[in-house]
Amino acid sequence: MSRRSQVLYLAAAWCLSYPDEDLVARVPLIRAALAEFPGVTAGFEAVLDQLEGTPAMELQAFYVREFDLGKRHALHLSYWTDGDTRRRGEVLGTFKEAYRQSDILVDTQGELPDYLPMVLEYAARVDFGAGHALLVRYRPSLEMLRLGLARDGLPHTKILEALCATLPGKSPRDEQDVMRMAGLGPPTEAVGPDPYDPRLLPVRRA
């Protein structure tokens, strides 16, 4: 377990969360924690500056538009692998099971258990090994999110780059490389969006 990774994961969890007053108040704490590790703060600087320098209503409207209303920057890891297929319920169960096995009550606060900030905070504060394993397993989802953020020029791109750098191997160059990383074909059963939406990754068979 790396203290650096724990701090990075918790800072990322907060920076990818809805920007309420509590989050904005944490910015000095986030800066101080990241400053303990040379080179880490740079990846968070743009988002931290945005949190400190943007009016609350504008900040929250930006977050809702970019992360809540559409799927281009979905923060739910299983969305990228399973879309809105029926299999997704089974996949979400694997996240719940990981939390249960920690013997610590995890309050999802109404979010689905694969919500990236929740997985990151779980890894940072509860069970680093189990949380890290979930991130490794859903590495293709993280990479697709990273590429989507980069394509749209969002400041959160550097945070995803920092997260992916804590996982084994190099990051794929593009979506086709991520598809090869996932290794299987596209979902064949969908109850919502087009199963051949290029944002979706292949279903992983158990």
Side-chain angles (χ1 to χ4, degrees), residues 136-151:
V136 171
R137 180 175 180 180
Y138 285 87
R139 172 73 175 273
S141 300
L142 293 172
E143 298 290 0
M144 287 294 275
L145 175 58
R146 174 184 64 82
L147 290 168
L149 293 171
R151 181 174 54 246

Side-chain angles (χ1 to χ4, degrees), residues 140 176-186 201-205:
Q176 291 304 312
D177 280 352
V178 182
M179 295 292 278
R180 284 190 285 272
M181 172 188 280
L184 295 172
L201 286 175
V203 172
R204 284 190 177 277
R205 303 295 180 187

Side-chain angles (χ1 to χ4, degrees), residues 14-149:
W14 288 347
C15 288
L16 292 169
S17 297
Y18 182 78
D20 57 16
E21 290 182 4
D22 289 341
L23 174 57
V24 174
R26 287 189 186 127
V27 170
L29 175 62
I30 296 172
R31 289 188 189 278
L34 292 173
E36 296 180 21
F37 306 95
V40 175
T41 304
F44 290 78
E45 205 65 61
V47 172
L48 295 175
D49 287 348
Q50 182 187 57
L51 288 170
E52 287 186 319
T54 308
M57 290 187 64
E58 183 180 337
L59 194 62
Q60 292 167 2
F62 170 85
Y63 185 92
V64 170
R65 182 176 67 251
E66 298 296 345
F67 294 105
D68 287 344
L69 294 182
K71 297 297 186 181
R72 288 172 62 83
H73 313 129
L75 293 174
H76 293 92
L77 296 177
S78 69
Y79 168 76
W80 298 99
T81 56
D82 294 274
D84 288 323
T85 62
R86 292 183 180 89
R87 173 181 155 76
R88 192 175 180 198
E90 175 190 339
V91 172
L92 292 173
T94 66
F95 286 86
K96 293 179 182 178
E97 183 61 24
Y99 299 154
R100 280 196 292 267
Q101 288 180 357
S102 69
D103 293 328
I104 295 177
L105 180 63
V106 176
D107 183 3
T108 63
Q109 299 181 347
E111 277 289 353
L112 294 175
D114 64 336
Y115 181 54
L116 178 56
M118 186 184 306
V119 177
L120 291 168
E121 187 158 358
Y122 171 74
R125 305 180 77 169
V126 179
D127 188 329
F128 183 84
H132 184 263
L134 288 172
L135 295 173
V136 171
R137 180 175 180 180
Y138 285 87
R139 172 73 175 273
S141 300
L142 293 172
E143 298 290 0
M144 287 294 275
L145 175 58
R146 174 184 64 82
L147 290 168
L149 293 171

